């Protein structure tokens, strides 16, 4: 397993734990506004990191942070705080993984 794949796995597990904690066992559709934004942020991280894992399994590069969520998600984020939190969470998660991977080994990008 590459350094990037290991970091994606670890970040995915941490994001899933954070989402579980933010939701406190409740469905996301039953959360109040403040808790919902926090949960949607972590949900975006889980989904972005899941997308990155799938890409690596297919042998293609994971999405770049700035490209993840382009299209319908980015359009929804223009008018919805929850979608904005989701988009930012996903992009933040990918950015953190890439930065930590480069800091660990600047020669490693995959």
């Amino acid at each position: 397993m590459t350094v990037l794949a290991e970091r994606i796995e670890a970040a995915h597990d941490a994001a899933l734990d954070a989402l579980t904690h933010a939701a406190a066992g409740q469905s996301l559709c039953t959360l109040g506004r403040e808790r919902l934004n926090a949960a949607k942020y972590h949900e975006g991280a889980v989904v972005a990191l899941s997308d990155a894992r799938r890409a690596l399994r297919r042998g293609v590069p994971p999405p770049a942070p700035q490209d993840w969520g382009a299209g319908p998600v980015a359009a929804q984020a223009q008018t919805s705080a929850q979608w904005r939190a989701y988009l930012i969470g996903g992009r933040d998660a990918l950015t953190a993984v890439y930065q930590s991977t480069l800091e660990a080994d600047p020669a490693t990008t995959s």
Side-chain angles (χ1 to χ4, degrees):
M1 186 177 278
T2 66
V3 171
L4 180 58
E6 290 172 359
R7 298 214 183 239
I8 288 171
E9 287 297 325
H12 180 270
D13 291 346
L16 195 52
D17 287 345
L19 175 58
T20 300
H21 179 72
Q26 291 182 293
S27 168
L28 294 184
C29 52
T30 64
L31 296 179
R33 184 172 306 246
E34 186 175 307
R35 283 184 52 216
L36 179 59
N37 287 342
K40 294 301 280 184
Y41 178 89
H42 297 300
E43 180 187 24
V46 169
V47 173
L49 294 164
S50 294
D51 290 348
R53 288 185 342 180
R54 277 190 294 280
L56 289 178
R57 287 184 192 132
R58 290 190 320 262
V60 298
Q66 68 275 12
D67 296 333
W68 185 82
V73 173
Q76 292 281 359
Q78 296 296 317
T79 59
S80 166
Q82 289 82 28
W83 280 104
R84 198 166 25 262
Y86 180 91
L87 180 66
I88 292 168
R91 290 180 175 178
D92 284 354
L94 291 172
T95 298
V97 165
Y98 289 134
Q99 286 178 344
S100 70
T101 302
L102 289 174
E103 290 168 3
D105 184 359
T108 303
T109 57
S110 63

